[in-house]
Amino acid sequence: MIKVLFVCLGNICRSPMAQFVFKQMVEERGLSDQFEIDSAATEGYNEMCHAGIHYGTREMLKSMHVPFEEHYSRRIRPSDYAYYDYILAMDDSNVEDIQSIVGVDTDNKIHRLLNFANKPRNIKDPWYTGNFDETYWDIVEGCDAFLKHLKL
Ligand code: 4NP
């Protein structure tokens, strides 16, 4: 079982989008049994208000026919580091924040998602840009590149 945790700042826009895009990709390839997939935040404010998936992410997933379930924001915990095989961040600041919570990445589990792509870069935060479309296509590119990296 390969355990994957997608992480962003708030866990309501990018990381749940990546969670469900990646879930659909592995399902389409008949690989569901090999994966456990979840997402988390580096900040705790959305967890405190029990926030669900942002409207913009929901609408984007619906328009691209990506199935999703309810997901409530939760902050990444130090114990997640031992549990997950891959902790996939959306941008550089997520990587720094994850490390400050879980400690030194001794097992090389923490990666920026688009580091697997041909053009490594951050995935911009649609909470600020309002551009969920751009986020979606960056996430598709990153998830696809990550799957290729796994060579399954
Ligand atoms: P996300 O976007 O990290 O892609 O989920 C954000 C969502 C909420 C906030 C910031 C970023 N916020 O400040 O509540």
Side-chain angles (χ1 to χ4, degrees), residues 8-16 45-46 125-128:
C8 62
L9 179 64
N11 191 212
I12 62 172
C13 299
R14 291 166 296 173
S15 59
Y45 33 67
N46 288 311
D125 194 338
W127 175 266
Y128 300 107

Side-chain angles (χ1 to χ4, degrees), residues 14-123:
R14 291 166 296 173
S15 59
M17 190 187 284
Q19 169 186 350
F20 293 111
V21 164
F22 190 64
K23 190 168 179 235
Q24 184 186 42
M25 274 186 192
V26 303
E27 276 171 10
E28 283 172 355
R29 289 163 176 76
L31 300 170
S32 297
D33 294 351
Q34 299 186 44
F35 284 93
E36 183 176 321
I37 305 161
D38 201 359
S39 64
T42 57
E43 289 296 338
Y45 33 67
N46 288 311
E47 182 170 354
M48 286 191 307
C49 64
H50 202 59
I53 301 171
H54 189 282
Y55 175 79
T57 288
R58 291 173 181 277
E59 290 305 300
M60 197 65 224
L61 292 172
K62 276 187 211 159
S63 74
M64 300 312 292
H65 307 289
V66 178
F68 62 95
E69 302 131 34
E70 199 49 91
H71 174 85
Y72 294 102
S73 178
R74 75 156 177 97
R75 194 175 197 197
I76 188 170
R77 299 179 279 266
S79 59
D80 289 319
Y81 188 76
Y83 186 77
Y84 286 94
D85 301 301
Y86 289 92
I87 297 174
L88 302 179
M90 300 298 122
D91 60 36
D92 285 327
S93 66
N94 300 152
V95 171
E96 280 175 29
D97 292 341
I98 293 165
Q99 283 169 344
S100 74
I101 295 165
V102 306
V104 181
D105 185 13
T106 45
D107 299 329
N108 193 30
K109 293 181 172 186
I110 304 169
H111 306 271
R112 192 175 58 160
L113 182 60
L114 280 174
N115 277 14
F116 295 103
N118 289 333
K119 275 194 252 164
R121 60 198 190 277
N122 289 332
I123 295 177

